[in-house]
Amino acid sequence: MHHRSRLGLIALAATAGLACLALPLLPPGAAGGGAASGSEPPLPGVFVGAFTWKDPDPAFGGLSGIELTQDGLGFVTVSDRGTTFSGRLTRNAAGAVTAAVTTPAQALHALSGAELSGLHADAEGIALDPGGGVWISFEQFARVDLYDTPGSRARPGPRAPAFRRLEDNGALEALAIDAQGRLVTLAEEPLDGRTDTPVWRLEGNQWREAFSITRDRSWKPVGADFGSDGRLYLLERAFWPPFGFQSRVRSFDPGSTGTRPDPGRPILASRVGEFDNLEGLATWTDARGDIRLTMVSDDNFLSLQRTQLIDYRLPRDE
């Protein structure tokens, strides 16, 4: 969320008191809460905890992507100013984050070795390659590049012609890697006026549209990861001035081959203003075998926003 319109965020800041009072409210037709209304079944996502993450490093903030180790404790995050942070989390018995310790920040570099800056540094998604290295997607000058380590020079990945047609401030936000080591990515804004969202998969040395998902004009795809069940979990965000942000997660079968966009399976939906601007999603599996979802918020380097880590659990019996 590097160059988002500041008008909406200013409105949010100016009405922070109203937002606090309006947490249970939803815009007309918006899904919300941990359960659906009426006769619809409850959503399976169970809220575990929310942690406000503070770090003295002046570069800390703007976190748009996160990856976790299989135990949910080791992490690497990327900010939309081209900086990565790594470290370890502490969790309580329920699995909620209670502390985060980071190593010194590392700036991303171009192929030339120069530090990324300006629009070139607008990193949004991150995925750990099983062969080693870190893949990072960029919203401006849309691309997905590989880094041997977060501080190494970029190794440019294949470029898809479709990426050049994406909006500058709405390109590649979500990035994930499946069990076969194949990358998938999604754009935040529609492609060429389409009413669905294509899911691109890197097959060999070429990006191909693997399938597409239904799109709601109020919701933007911002983060993704594959679960241990093989499904693609997608974090989406909506912004409702002056009340705040709302988040939801759907999951999809990556083997979908239908000609119609996949509506996916609803997993969770927050209340408006319940959390900050969640943009990154990572999955891990606990000792019981339940899939866990950990999400991180982008505070846009604004004092009235927060960097949060939000945890949900998907019980196996749901």
Side-chain angles (χ1 to χ4, degrees), residues 55-213:
D55 192 285
D57 191 326
F60 184 79
L63 304 184
S64 298
I66 185 169
E67 275 280 66
L68 298 176
T69 53
Q70 292 183 357
D71 60 4
L73 299 177
F75 70 84
V76 58
T77 65
V78 66
S79 86
D80 53 22
R81 291 186 180 176
T83 306
T84 62
F85 298 87
S86 303
R88 297 282 293 178
L89 303 175
T90 300
R91 297 181 180 272
N92 61 19
V97 175
T98 58
V101 177
T102 61
T103 58
Q106 290 187 297
L108 296 174
H109 294 74
L111 178 62
S112 65
E115 286 190 12
L116 295 179
S117 61
L119 299 181
H120 291 276
D122 191 3
E124 297 288 345
I126 188 168
L128 300 180
D129 190 275
V134 180
W135 290 95
I136 295 178
S137 60
F138 294 84
E139 186 171 38
Q140 309 282 345
F141 304 101
R143 64 199 189 277
V144 181
D145 290 341
L146 177 64
Y147 292 81
D148 293 330
T149 65
S152 66
R153 298 185 181 193
R155 294 169 55 190
R159 305 291 196 252
F163 293 174
R164 294 194 294 269
R165 306 199 307 272
L166 296 171
E167 294 187 21
D168 288 341
N169 196 39
L172 304 179
E173 282 262 353
L175 185 68
I177 194 164
D178 66 16
Q180 289 75 48
R182 299 174 300 182
L183 286 167
V184 300
T185 189
L186 299 88
E188 180 180 9
E189 297 293 344
L191 172 69
D192 297 336
R194 288 175 56 165
T195 57
D196 62 340
T197 296
V199 178
W200 291 291
R201 184 165 58 211
L202 185 58
E203 300 176 359
N205 200 41
Q206 188 172 4
W207 289 99
R208 300 180 183 276
E209 183 175 330
F211 61 101
S212 72
I213 63 174

Side-chain angles (χ1 to χ4, degrees), residues 277-297:
N277 175 32
L278 299 180
E279 284 206 0
L281 169 68
T283 71
W284 55 286
T285 305
D286 64 20
R288 186 176 179 270
D290 292 343
I291 292 175
R292 302 287 186 128
L293 307 179
T294 299
M295 291 162 280
V296 68
S297 67

Side-chain angles (χ1 to χ4, degrees), residues 35-51:
S37 61
S39 60
E40 297 177 0
L43 302 181
V46 176
F47 175 70
V48 176
F51 172 74

